[in-house]
């Protein structure tokens, strides 16, 4: 044995990692319990004979000795120890044990209990890998517990408001052109309503535009109704989700009485009125707020709901690159094991139909670019969802900051606009050009649907398209302050 290199023997016999807990005490036992179930070997070093006996009775390997004695440490198979937890309540003894260990195995991984800041500093100077100040750790856990208790209290309040609104269904109205964050969060609210025996429906106005968002709704089989199917008299309760003011970017009239408002957008100085309000502008996604509610209420989350919520958080935080807080990351970590990853990847890479591809082709071919504004008329379409995709895609063109794509279905002219120019509000352009009844949307993304009946008297569809094009172009340049005359001179 003497002639063999000891390291080689260790490599041969060693099967699982060996952890040592030096100076067991209450904390040592607690750490051992935390490690229970992991595939490791564990050895205790305990000075107190009766404590050692108790540990042995519990089935642990125990060496009896004082951890501040070099003899105790050197009697251990130190070279074989991967991690040493030095946890006695005696700071000096911990420091000595650390020094002994380092002499015997300089690269041993050590975690030590510190008694105070001075003891922490000295342990660190002696090369400890990690220290724990129990009072500080306990304080952190207490603060976390308080935060969780506050979320649970809020979640109970929400349940109470839903339950107390009397008989009937809850209408969950999401903002116009709802995105995955709004839809998934509304689904979570639906589950919370269900947990107190209240039925609900999710209602939206506008478009569910992107191919990804369409895939999201289809693949997860999401039940969401359009405004046309909304009959307010069927509902006795009203929740506004991801939107805070009735009539502002949602289908409600401005005087609607809302019971519940949940949002993560700042509302400025506007007064929000509701029985229950949870607006957290610092959070990256509404789906995060709802995930904490579900988690604290202990409501079972289906894989569809988990997938929807995680997708909502990822889209809103742009894959955690934008506005992602610790809460968003925790919610994502909580949801990940519940997610259907196959569906998630299908949502993220939806297949493009041949018609969409054709429309993209027409949009590219027929584009008219004036300065940084691109307008394209793609003619007849069956799948109007291809229009926002084309509008998005052409926004990538060099020098282009605003795109407007037109298409014609059987009886309606559809427009889709996108802008990354801060001076242009395409939602306003659409509203001003066609009125609230036909046009709407956000500053960066908007659309309009004009029934051909509006242009009655003109039979030829191409003439109609030309008229619409002129109206939009005129309005667009009016809004952005470009003289059309100048533009025409240039052409
Ligand atoms: Mn959002």
């Amino acid at each position: 044995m003497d002639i063999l290199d000891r390291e080689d023997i260790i490599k041969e016999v060693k099967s699982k990692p060996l952890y040592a807990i030096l100076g067991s005490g209450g904390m040592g036992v607690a750490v051992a319990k935390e490690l229970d179930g992991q595939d490791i070997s564990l050895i205790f070093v305990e000075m107190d004979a009766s404590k050692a006996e108790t540990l042995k009775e519990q089935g642990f390997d125990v060496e009896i000795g004082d951890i501040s004695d070099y003899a105790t440490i050197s009697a251990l198979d130190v070279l074989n120890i991967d991690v040493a937890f030095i946890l006695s309540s005696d700071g000096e003894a911990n420091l000595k044990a650390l020094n002994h260990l380092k002499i015997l195995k300089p690269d041993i991984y050590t975690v030590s209990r510190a008694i105070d800041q001075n003891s922490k500093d000295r342990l660190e100077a002696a090369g400890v890998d990690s220290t724990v100040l129990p009072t500080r750790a306990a304080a952190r856990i207490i603060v976390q517990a308080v935060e969780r208790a506050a979320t649970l209290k809020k979640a109970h309040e929400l349940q109470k408001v839903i339950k107390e609104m009397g008989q009937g269904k809850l209408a969950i109205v999401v903002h116009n052109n709802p995105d995955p964050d709004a839809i998934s969060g509304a689904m979570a609210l639906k589950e919370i309503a269900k947990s107190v025996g209240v039925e609900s429906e999710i209602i939206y106005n506008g478009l569910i535009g992107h191919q990804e968002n369409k895939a999201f709704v289809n693949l997860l089989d999401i039940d969401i109704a359009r405004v046309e199917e909304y009959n307010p008299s069927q509902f006795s309760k009203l929740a506004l989700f991801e939107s805070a003011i009735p009539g502002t970017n949602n289908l409600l009239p401005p005087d609607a009485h809302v019971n519940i408002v949940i949002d993560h957008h700042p509302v400025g100085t506007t007064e929000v009125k509701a029985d229950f309000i949870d607006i957290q502008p610092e959070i990256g996604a509404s789906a995060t707020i709802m995930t904490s509610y579900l988690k604290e209420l202990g409501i079972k989350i289906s894989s569809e709901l988990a997938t929807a919520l995680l997708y909502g958080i990822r889209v809103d935080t742009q894959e955690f690159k934008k506005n992602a807080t610790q809460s968003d990351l925790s919610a994502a970590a909580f949801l990940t094991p519940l997610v259907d990853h196959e569906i998630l990847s299908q949502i993220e890479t939806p297949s493009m139909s041949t018609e969409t591809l054709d429309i993209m082709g027409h949009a590219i071919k027929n584009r008219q670019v004036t300065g940084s504004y691109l307008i394209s008329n793609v003619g007849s379409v069956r799948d109007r969802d291809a229009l926002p995709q084309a509008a998005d895609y052409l926004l990538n063109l060099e020098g282009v900051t605003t795109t407007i794509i037109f298409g014609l279905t059987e009886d309606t002219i559809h427009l889709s606009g996108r802008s990354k120019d801060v001076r242009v509000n395409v939602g306003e352009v659409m509203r001003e050009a066609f009125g609230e009844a036909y046009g709407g949307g956000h500053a960066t993304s908007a659309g309009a649907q004009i029934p051909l009946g509006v242009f009655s008297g003109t039979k030829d569809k191409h003439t109609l398209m030309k008229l619409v094009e002129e109206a939009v172009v005129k309005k667009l340049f009016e809004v952005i302050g470009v003289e059309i005359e100048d533009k025409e001179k240039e052409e």
Side-chain angles (χ1 to χ4, degrees), residues 11-49:
K11 271 173 202 151
E12 261 175 51
V13 295
K14 199 173 169 184
S15 54
K16 29 181 161 174
L18 176 62
Y19 288 15
I21 296 181
L22 312 185
S24 56
M27 191 182 284
V29 173
V31 169
K33 278 190 185 143
E34 277 297 310
L35 293 169
D36 190 34
Q38 292 193 23
D39 196 20
I40 53 160
S41 302
L42 200 58
I43 182 161
F44 278 93
V45 180
E46 175 55 53
M47 190 160 59
D48 184 307

Side-chain angles (χ1 to χ4, degrees), residues 179 181 242 264-265 285-286 316:
D179 55 14
D181 184 37
E242 267 241 300
H264 74 125
H265 297 102
S286 298
D316 256 42

